[in-house]
C-alpha cells in the first residue's frame, strides 16, 4: 500500500523501545525481529517474528505505551504504518473484522502478560550466558 513507508533496520537495532508511546505499527517485510521485555536486568524473549508478522499494533489499539521492546534479529525491512493510517484502516474495516481484531488483541495481551509472568517466576530469559532463544 502507498500509505506504508518501508524502513531498513540493521541486525541488533532496537526498533521499538519498551515504555515509549506507540505512534506506529510495523509489518516485517523481510527478515525477522525479536520481541522482548527486560525484567530484573534480564531480557525475557516473548516471540521471534518472521516475514509477514505485525508488531506495535497492541499499544496503538490500547492507546498506551509499549510493554515490550522489539529488536532486529537480522537485517530486516519493515513497513511502518503510522498511527493515523492505522486508525483509518481499522475505521474503514468491516464492523465484524474490526470487532474481531479488537477482541484478539485484548486476548493476546492477556496471554502475553501471563507468559511473561511465568517466565519471570521461573527465572527464564536472555542473560549474559544465553543466546537470544534463552539457551546457555
Amino acid at each position: 500500500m502507498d500509505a506504508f513507508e518501508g524502513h531498513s533496520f540493521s541486525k541488533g537495532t532496537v526498533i521499538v523501545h519498551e515504555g515509549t508511546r506507540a505512534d506506529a505499527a510495523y509489518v516485517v517485510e523481510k527478515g525477522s525481529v525479536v520481541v522482548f521485555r527486560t525484567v530484573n536486568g534480564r531480557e525475557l524473549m516473548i516471540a521471534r517474528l518472521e516475514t509477514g508478522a505485525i508488531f506495535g499494533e497492541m499499544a496503538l489499539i490500547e492507546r498506551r505505551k509499549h510493554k515490550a521492546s522489539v529488536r532486529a534479529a537480522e537485517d530486516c525491512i519493515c513497513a511502518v504504518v503510522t498511527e493515523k493510517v492505522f486508525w483509518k484502516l481499522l475505521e474503514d474495516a468491516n464492523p465484524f473484522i474490526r470487532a474481531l481484531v479488537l477482541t484478539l488483541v485484548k486476548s493476546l495481551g492477556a496471554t502475553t502478560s501471563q507468559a511473561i509472568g511465568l517466565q519471570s517466576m521461573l527465572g527464564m530469559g536472555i542473560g549474559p550466558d544465553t543466546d537470544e532463544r534463552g539457551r546457555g
Side-chain angles (χ1 to χ4, degrees):
M1 293 179 98
D2 296 334
F4 298 177
E5 184 181 341
H7 287 278
S8 297
F9 297 97
S10 300
K11 180 180 179 178
T13 301
V14 177
I15 302 167
V16 169
H17 294 268
E18 184 177 347
T20 60
R21 182 188 171 282
D23 60 0
Y26 302 80
V27 180
V28 180
E29 294 184 323
K30 182 179 179 186
S32 62
V33 299
V34 174
V35 182
F36 67 95
R37 289 196 63 197
T38 303
V39 178
N40 298 325
R42 293 183 67 85
E43 288 184 6
L44 300 177
M45 190 172 100
I46 297 167
R48 183 180 181 109
L49 306 176
E50 307 288 338
T51 300
I54 300 172
F55 61 93
E57 79 290 352
M58 290 173 62
L60 274 182
I61 288 173
E62 295 176 351
R63 299 184 188 271
R64 61 165 170 75
K65 294 179 179 179
H66 292 288
K67 289 185 178 179
S69 297
V70 180
R71 178 177 44 239
E74 58 188 304
D75 291 347
C76 63
I77 299 172
C78 295
V80 180
V81 184
T82 65
E83 183 175 16
K84 182 178 178 179
V85 170
F86 180 86
W87 282 108
K88 178 68 174 145
L89 290 170
L90 197 56
E91 178 184 303
D92 291 348
N94 172 288
F96 173 77
I97 299 300
R98 183 174 44 251
L100 179 64
V101 167
L102 295 174
T103 300
L104 290 173
V105 165
K106 184 177 179 180
S107 178
L108 180 59
T111 301
T112 300
S113 292
Q114 290 174 344
I116 291 167
L118 287 172
Q119 281 183 319
S120 185
M121 280 186 348
L122 296 172
M124 298 169 62
I126 303 169
D129 299 325
T130 58
D131 66 14
E132 72 177 20
R133 297 177 194 257
R135 296 182 298 213

